[in-house]
Every structure is written in C-alpha cells, then in structure tokens.
Amino acid sequence: MAERQLGNRIKEKRAEHGLTQAELAARAGVSRKTINTVENEVFVPSTTLALTLAEILDCAVEDLFFLKPD
C-alpha cells in the first residue's frame, strides 16, 4: 500500500486572516521558511505544529490538512 500524501489549505486560511508567512510563523514560534515548506507540501508538520496553526487560524486541523486521493 502506497503512503498517502498530505495536502493543506494553509495559504488560503492565512490569506483569509490577512497574515503573511512571517506573521504566521512568529505567532506559531517557527521560522518563515518552515511555514513556506509546509504550505508547499515539502515538509509534513508535527502534530503540535498542525494544531498550533489551526488554533492561530481559528479552524479545525481538518480544515487545514487533508489526505490527497490515491
């Protein structure tokens, strides 16, 4: 069974809140590069970071992250 790929809607949710990558990163306690690599699906965040981003963006973690179809 192939490993499923994780997708995300961080960029869209971030834009809804009027935040730059740098602003979101500062609130989450990570670097702007970390936000960039997560948004571009290069890096899969830890559960802690995923929950932190959902909290900052005032949504459920499932609204930010999803499994891509096979």
Side-chain angles (χ1 to χ4, degrees):
M1 181 173 170
E3 185 174 331
R4 307 264 318 260
Q5 297 294 311
L6 186 68
N8 73 74
R9 297 179 185 90
I10 296 172
K11 185 174 184 177
E12 293 85 357
K13 292 290 186 183
R14 180 174 57 75
E16 287 175 14
H17 288 270
L19 296 171
T20 66
Q21 286 183 345
E23 290 167 335
L24 179 57
R27 291 188 187 187
V30 298
S31 70
R32 185 206 57 81
K33 184 174 180 178
T34 296
I35 298 299
N36 180 272
T37 58
V38 173
E39 279 187 4
N40 289 301
E41 300 175 0
V42 173
F43 175 70
V44 175
S46 68
T47 305
T48 303
L49 179 54
L51 291 167
T52 299
L53 293 173
E55 182 177 72
I56 293 166
L57 296 171
D58 194 32
C59 63
V61 73
E62 294 89 347
D63 294 334
L64 287 183
F65 298 96
F66 59 92
L67 291 173
K68 292 182 178 181
D70 289 335

